[in-house]
Structures are given as structure tokens and as C-alpha cells.
Amino acid sequence: MASLSQLIARPTTTVQCYPWSPCSNSSSLKPRRAAGRVRCTLSTDATGGRAEHDGPRLDRRDVLLRLGTLGASATAGLLSSPRLAGAAPVATPDISSCGKPDLGLPPNANLLTCCPPPSNALPVDFSPPDASTPLRTRPAAHSVGADYVAKLNRAMAAMKALPAEDPRSFAAQASIHCAYCNGSYGVEGFPGSDLQVHNSWLFLPFHRCYLYFFERILGSLIGDPSFAMPFWNWDAPGGMRMPAMYVDPKSPLFDPRRDARHAPPELINLDYNGREPTFTDRQQVDHNLRVMYRQMVSLSPTPSLFFGGAYRAGDEPDQGPGPMENIPHGPVHIWCGDPNQPAGEDMGNFYSAGRDPLFYAHHGNIDRMWSVWKGLDPRRHRDLTDPDWLDSSFLFYDETPKLVRIRVRDVLDTDRLRYRFQDVPMPWTTARPTVTPRARSFGTPTAVAASAKKATKFPIMLDSATSVTVRRPVSSKRSKLEKSAKEEVLVIGGIEVDMDIAAKFDVFVNAGDDHAAVGSGGRELAGSFVSVPHRHRHDKKEKKIKTKLRLALNEQLEDLDAEGDESVVVTLVPRQGKGKVKIGSVKIELID
């Protein structure tokens, strides 16, 4: 067997500088002593991608796999912790150590293993498809014809017919989401930690990678490299019903574990909170469009807000979701799941969501929203440039099947991945919320909603509507240039909620004497927090999500004519999981 110096210390080889490499240039953290010399580079090309290196890549996971009988513990003194090395992208997990789920559900519950098939092979680094590969166009699900539906049914049937031990099978693919989202994997270098791709900046790139490989497997099973999976166009009136192809009981796209109340012709409620709305169809469409504007425009002015909180190796998970992950992503999951199942299966719980073929169409539209957002304001709406985000990585099986390590930086350009989305109308781009007349007439900066109790000390348990007066960091109207440089952001911190419950609360600003007076899509609604259940316990201890909610205020304060006020009144209203959500703090910050 090769020695450690042969495996790790290769003086003439240039490799990627990863957090476990002994080549940190951090001025605040002292690097560990190296067991040999490794020359590291971390350069980017003009497009933000990684530049070519003069030697093979070396990944810590590969080193540990090659060490064999020595084991990871024998190398603990040689391979440094990500946090101690000055850079900390979340690394690919050890899929051979996938934890057994203990969901606390009845024995007869139809459970997944949450663990994809293991592999004895070392992963290969992702290579984008050749430029000559057909450019796949993902269609809106409600617009496709019978030929496309037949092709999708054939591909899905072929995937479902594969044995579960085949990593291309539908069962294995569904377990990937369960494993990455329910604590089956730990964060490399931090024993006892749980890897979680939700509620942080990993949400969008993980699911893009996931769908990319899923789509290629479908195409390969029917011998069609041009095949593209559909997206559920729930952001436009024509697509606001569950797509017809998914509700045929004879189709492999059908899942019996859905909420039967929400089958077509029922319109989806993108702001769903477990209760059925009383809107007319026209009102529901209008409400959905205003929700989309709020989440995609008002609350997403900067990359750091749109993508969600920074999540690095060594951090606690759930650093804070971006607006699209909160809504409509979360409500659509819960709207689809069957409330008669033990844990809202399938779509209503992250552990089981991948078992519903509709999941992939739902996330197809979430992925589309990433591309749409960048096109709304190309000057400000750009991908993050933080190397810890760009170098975070995941493991997937491709269509061959081969284990592939793919990094966030690999998936920023969908043209490079050889797929695009069908052009469809986006009426929500002009559906800017309006100030509710009653709230305008009654609301004052120092008023407290009459129907809400006043918070006197935090933390609080959100068991009823609660208001608090929050001082702003500025008390004068800022110029357009100042607002473009710094976004005023409402931060709801110290949010704690049990992992296994669905929870939602709304946040109002200057809602006047009664938050209930705010109409559908009213401007006083600053945003919402949504938690989709994802129960998964290894240690039998109760697990809680501990996170924060960040809501951009610039545009809302303009519309509420509150830019010159010293403070605003923030009202928190529980909608789902009443009395089960703890709030640690409410403040306003200025961020870049």
C-alpha cells in the first residue's frame, strides 16, 4: 500500500486548494503542520470558472478511500479540519456511511431507506457535456402534447422498472433527496454534524445538479439525448393547476399520496398555510402573481438575499433560506402532500418528496426561477462569487452509471449544461403589491396592531399575533444611490421549530390597527417563513431547526411612505404550527 507521503505529499503536483489542505493563507487562523509539501492554487478564469491546473485533482475524500485499512482516524492529525484551514466549502459526503433513518413514524409507514446505493469506485470530477450535444429545451408541463407525454411516461416507466440497487432507478434517485435533506450524511471533518442542503445557499445549486442527472438518466433510458424534463409553470395563470399528465392514475407519473382536494381544476395557492383559501379563481391568480413579485423582485434585490445564508463546513445547518426557497417552494410541497398520511407523504415531507414524480417538475420551475432572476436585472442579479459557495460539492450517479463529484461552479451556466427553458409569459413581473387602503389610514410608525399582543422581551413563543416596534438604522430618506449600495433588511433571528412539523408565519410592517385588514397581496406583508417537515433522527434526540429569516425592505418602505420614520411596527402572525415556533430577535440591518 502507498505511504501517506506518496498519497498526500506530491511536491511537483498542483492540486485544488481545499479546506483540508495545509496551504491556507488565512491571517486569522493558524494552519496545521503539513505532512509533506503540497502546492495549491485556487484561480478562476475570466468567466468565474476554475482555471486549468497542471496536475490531477486531489480530494480529501479520495485520500481517505485510498488509505483503506489505515482508516480516517489514523489520518486525523494529518488532514486538517475545514474550519481550521481558512476556506470551508461543504465537501462531498462519505456515501458509504449513510445513516439509517429513524423517522419516528408508525411501523406500517411506507418508508424509504434514505440511502442511495453505495459505490466502491472513487468519484470522478464532473465534465460538462460537449458543445455538440443537443440543446435540450425544458417545456412548461401544461403546454406539452400527447407525443411528449407518451415519451415522458415511457422514460419514467423505464426508470421505475429498474431494481432499487441500480443507482439510476427511481427508488435510488428518490433516496438521494432523502439522504441530503434529512441528516443521513455528515459534514466531512465534523463528526456528529448533519449535512443539510435546505435553508441556505446550497438549496438552488444542489437541486439543479439533482435534476441535471435525473434528466440525463431519463433520456438515456429511452435512447434520446435531446429529451428534456418538464417544469410545472405554477407562476403563470395557465400553469397554476396540477399538470394533467401527473393526475392520470394509469400513468407512472401518478402518485396516490397527494392531497385529493387539490387535483385539477383546483388552482394552486403559492402562499398555502394548511388551510383552504376562500378566493375566487380570479382572486387566487391575482394573489399568486403578487406573491411571485414579492419573492422574486421585492425580496431578492441582491445575490446574498436571493440565494440564502452562507453555509460553510463547520457551520450549523439552516443558515437561512432565500425567498424562493421559503415561498413558493415550501407551500407547494405542503399543498401537494397528502394530509392523511403519517407525515404528509409524499411531497409534504422532505424524506419522501422524491417519490412523487411531480417533485421533479416542481423543482424544474424552481431551477427556472434561478435563470429568470438573473435576467430580471443583469447588473445586480449575479451569481455569488464566494469560493466557499463555488467549491461546495455533491455526489451523484450519472446515466452510465458512474459516481460523479460536481461542484457549484460547474452548474452556473445552463447553456454549458446544454439545456434551456421554454419561453413563457411572466405576468407577475408587473404585479407589484399595493398598500391596503384601511392599513394606510390607520397605520402609524408607532402604532401597535390592536389584534396583536406586544412583545416585551425576546425570545418569545409565537402562539398568537405579536407586534414589536423596531428602530431603523437610518431615520432619513436615503437616495437611490444609497439604497442601491445598502439594502435595509428585516432580520427575524433565533427561529426554532421542530423538524417534523409544518410551520408558517407571516411578517407585516406597519399593518395598522388590524393585520387581518391587509388584502390579498397587500404591501404591508413583508414576507413569510415556511418550514417543510423533514424528520430524521439518528441519536433519538429531538431535533430542531435553528435558523433566521431575512426580508429586504427598501421597496416596501418606499411604498408605505415610511422611509423617513425612525422605527416601524413589525407584526408576526402564526399561520401553521401555532405555538411551536420560537422567535429569538427582531432587528433591522443594512447589508451590501
Side-chain angles (χ1 to χ4, degrees), residues 476-537:
S476 59
K477 188 173 182 177
R478 296 189 296 153
S479 68
K480 185 176 181 179
L481 181 62
E482 288 174 321
K483 286 188 287 188
S484 66
K486 295 280 187 180
E487 184 76 24
E488 200 163 346
V489 177
L490 178 62
V491 181
I492 315 297
I495 300 172
E496 293 187 21
V497 58
D498 289 350
M499 282 186 176
D500 61 342
I501 69 167
K504 181 179 185 291
F505 65 82
D506 292 337
V507 182
F508 295 86
V509 170
N510 288 359
D513 67 332
D514 187 357
H515 59 81
V518 177
S520 172
R523 177 47 97 183
E524 297 80 10
L525 178 60
S528 306
F529 172 80
V530 176
S531 180
V532 178
H534 49 291
R535 189 173 187 177
H536 188 104
R537 302 182 302 174

Side-chain angles (χ1 to χ4, degrees), residues 543-585:
K543 290 273 190 174
K544 290 183 179 292
I545 295 172
K546 297 180 180 180
T547 188
K548 68 178 67 172
L549 174 66
R550 299 186 302 165
L551 302 172
L553 292 179
N554 278 6
E555 192 177 88
Q556 185 184 33
L557 293 175
E558 290 176 7
D559 291 350
L560 294 178
D561 196 23
E563 292 180 285
D565 297 335
E566 292 184 352
S567 59
V568 296
V569 175
V570 176
T571 305
L572 310 176
V573 182
R575 300 298 190 190
Q576 200 169 11
K578 183 177 180 180
K580 297 181 179 180
V581 179
K582 182 184 289 187
I583 307 294
S585 62

Side-chain angles (χ1 to χ4, degrees), residues 433-449:
T434 55
V435 178
T436 307
R438 183 181 177 187
R440 180 191 292 274
S441 63
F442 284 93
T444 62
T446 58
V448 175

Side-chain angles (χ1 to χ4, degrees), residues 198-509:
H198 289 91
N199 295 324
S200 78
W201 66 9
L202 293 186
F203 170 75
L204 286 170
F206 168 82
H207 288 87
R208 173 168 286 183
C209 296
Y210 187 17
L211 266 61
Y212 171 81
F213 289 106
F214 189 88
E215 179 177 69
R216 288 181 66 91
I217 292 171
L218 286 176
S220 71
L221 291 173
I222 57 174
D224 184 356
S226 67
F227 176 79
M229 61 191 300
F231 63 88
W232 181 5
N233 190 199
W234 32 247
D235 60 299
M240 287 183 183
R241 292 178 174 87
M242 200 175 290
M245 70 177 94
Y246 290 89
V247 298
D248 178 2
K250 298 179 181 179
S251 167
L253 303 175
F254 180 73
D255 184 348
R257 292 179 292 276
R258 294 186 192 139
D259 194 330
R261 298 172 300 175
H262 297 157
E266 188 71 14
L267 286 169
I268 194 169
N269 179 10
L270 297 182
D271 200 25
Y272 188 63
N273 58 21
R275 297 181 180 180
E276 301 308 304
T278 57
F279 296 142
T280 65
D281 282 0
R282 182 175 179 177
Q283 289 172 330
Q284 184 66 72
V285 168
D286 179 70
H287 179 72
N288 286 342
L289 296 179
R290 292 181 187 276
V291 167
M292 287 300 304
Y293 181 96
R294 185 181 71 232
Q295 301 305 114
M296 286 288 288
V297 181
S298 300
L299 297 182
S300 300
T302 68
S304 65
L305 289 169
F306 177 73
F307 286 99
Y311 176 36
R312 312 175 199 275
D315 289 342
E316 290 296 320
D318 303 304
Q319 290 293 311
M324 281 302 297
E325 181 179 2
N326 246 327
I327 294 175
H329 166 255
V332 172
H333 266 280
I334 296 171
W335 188 84
C336 292
D338 184 354
N340 297 315
Q341 296 297 320
E345 290 89 348
D346 278 333
M347 277 278 278
N349 198 300
F350 283 157
Y351 95 87
S352 55
R355 297 189 300 187
D356 188 341
L358 189 58
F359 167 90
Y360 304 93
H362 171 40
H363 274 276
N365 207 31
I366 294 291
D367 186 39
R368 172 176 160 261
M369 288 300 113
W370 181 355
S371 297
V372 166
W373 176 79
K374 290 202 289 187
L376 291 177
D377 184 356
R379 184 180 63 86
R380 296 189 74 193
H381 293 188
R382 298 171 178 247
D383 292 318
L384 296 166
T385 58
D386 191 313
D388 284 350
W389 184 68
L390 294 170
D391 287 326
S392 292
S393 57
F394 318 101
L395 290 179
F396 292 94
Y397 289 98
D398 69 10
E399 67 274 15
T400 55
K402 181 172 52 185
L403 190 62
V404 178
R405 177 191 299 109
I406 188 168
R407 295 171 173 83
V408 171
R409 67 169 66 249
D410 294 326
V411 298
L412 305 183
D413 183 354
T414 60
D415 278 0
R416 191 164 179 253
L417 296 174
R418 307 304 296 156
Y419 76 86
R420 291 181 178 176
F421 297 95
Q422 176 188 348
D423 287 332
V424 292
M426 296 187 296
W428 52 264
T429 59
T430 58
R432 186 165 177 160
T434 55
V435 178
T436 307
R438 183 181 177 187
R440 180 191 292 274
S441 63
F442 284 93
T444 62
T446 58
V448 175
S451 62
K453 67 181 181 182
K454 183 176 177 61
T456 57
K457 185 178 180 181
F458 285 92
I460 63 169
M461 189 62 70
L462 195 58
D463 54 6
S464 61
T466 304
S467 289
V468 59
T469 300
V470 183
R471 191 171 185 84
R472 297 176 57 221
V474 293
S475 57
S476 59
K477 188 173 182 177
R478 296 189 296 153
S479 68
K480 185 176 181 179
L481 181 62
E482 288 174 321
K483 286 188 287 188
S484 66
K486 295 280 187 180
E487 184 76 24
E488 200 163 346
V489 177
L490 178 62
V491 181
I492 315 297
I495 300 172
E496 293 187 21
V497 58
D498 289 350
M499 282 186 176
D500 61 342
I501 69 167
K504 181 179 185 291
F505 65 82
D506 292 337
V507 182
F508 295 86
V509 170

